[in-house]
Amino acid sequence: MNKDLIEKIINQKQFDEFDPLIVRAKQYCAKQCALYNNQVNTEGKYNIGLLNQLFNKIGHEPYIEPDFWCSLGFNISLGDEVFFNHDVIIRDFAPVTFGSQINIAPRVIFDTITHTVSAPHLTEAQAIRIEDGVWIGANSTITAGVTIGENSIIGAGSVVNTDVPPKSLFAGNPARFIKKLH
């Protein structure tokens, strides 16, 4: 996998997600994720070394339940004490950055991808940033370009398509401000 060439492709304004280099990178990533998930499911072995080979950065004491899946891996950075519950999906065609002391519930999706109407075969990607102390409820989706501010909570089943200020509770589809947290 040539990470530099892939980054050059996806850092363009628009790119083809089915470019042969990207397809090979996705296949490699899927293989690593499958190996990690299989070791956890069959042996109870949380082999963070496998994810270290994929991710840009992993902080102290990550805890990632199976079945974890990501697109490329090298665009993911984790701070300290990040917890992913079962079935977290990260489509990381742009950087996805997690701060420290973060809790992600089951079946949460982080999707950096957007598609244009004028060129539906082309893709754009925007970074996602999750700041320190965030909790995200089950079955939520965090969309491209979103930042969730520190110590915020996202209610279960939410679709977050706008930035969330620090110390805020957001919920719904689309997610809306519910109240300020102390």
Side-chain angles (χ1 to χ4, degrees):
M1 175 180 71
N2 190 329
K3 178 184 168 213
D4 293 334
L5 280 177
I6 294 166
E7 283 181 324
K8 185 176 180 182
I9 293 168
I10 64 178
N11 285 332
Q12 299 175 54
K13 176 123 176 94
Q14 296 179 337
F15 63 93
D16 181 354
E17 188 178 345
F18 300 102
D19 178 285
L21 283 173
I22 294 175
V23 169
R24 281 197 297 278
K26 290 190 314 186
Q27 290 169 338
Y28 170 77
C29 187
K31 190 181 213 181
Q32 291 298 101
C33 288
L35 185 57
Y36 174 82
N37 292 324
N38 187 53
Q39 285 184 355
V40 176
N41 286 327
T42 61
E43 303 169 30
K45 182 179 178 186
Y46 291 81
N47 187 350
I48 298 303
L50 286 172
L51 299 179
N52 259 325
Q53 294 172 22
L54 282 178
F55 290 5
N56 179 49
K57 174 191 168 218
I58 296 181
H60 182 65
E61 293 188 37
Y63 192 84
I64 300 174
E65 289 286 357
D67 285 319
F68 169 78
W69 183 86
C70 60
S71 295
L72 299 171
F74 62 76
N75 274 324
I76 300 171
S77 297
L78 304 181
D80 297 331
E81 300 173 23
V82 174
F83 172 70
F84 291 170
N85 211 316
H86 294 278
D87 303 317
V88 169
I89 296 172
I90 305 175
R91 288 179 28 107
D92 59 311
F93 290 90
V96 181
T97 305
F98 296 88
S100 295
Q101 298 166 342
I102 291 175
N103 287 289
I104 308 298
R107 294 174 303 284
V108 173
I109 299 170
F110 299 88
D111 195 351
T112 63
I113 292 284
T114 61
H115 295 279
T116 62
V117 175
S118 61
H121 65 286
L122 294 178
T123 302
E124 296 178 7
Q126 296 176 324
I128 294 173
R129 181 170 180 78
I130 311 301
E131 295 182 349
D132 295 346
V134 168
W135 286 48
I136 299 177
N139 297 306
S140 293
T141 299
I142 313 305
T143 63
V146 166
T147 295
I148 299 178
E150 66 180 336
N151 300 313
S152 290
I153 297 173
I154 306 301
S158 296
V159 176
V160 183
N161 61 4
T162 186
D163 289 348
V164 174
K167 298 181 180 176
S168 298
L169 171 61
F170 269 58
N173 181 4
R176 293 176 204 74
F177 176 79
I178 304 297
K179 69 177 184 176
K180 198 73 175 160
L181 303 170
H182 301 286

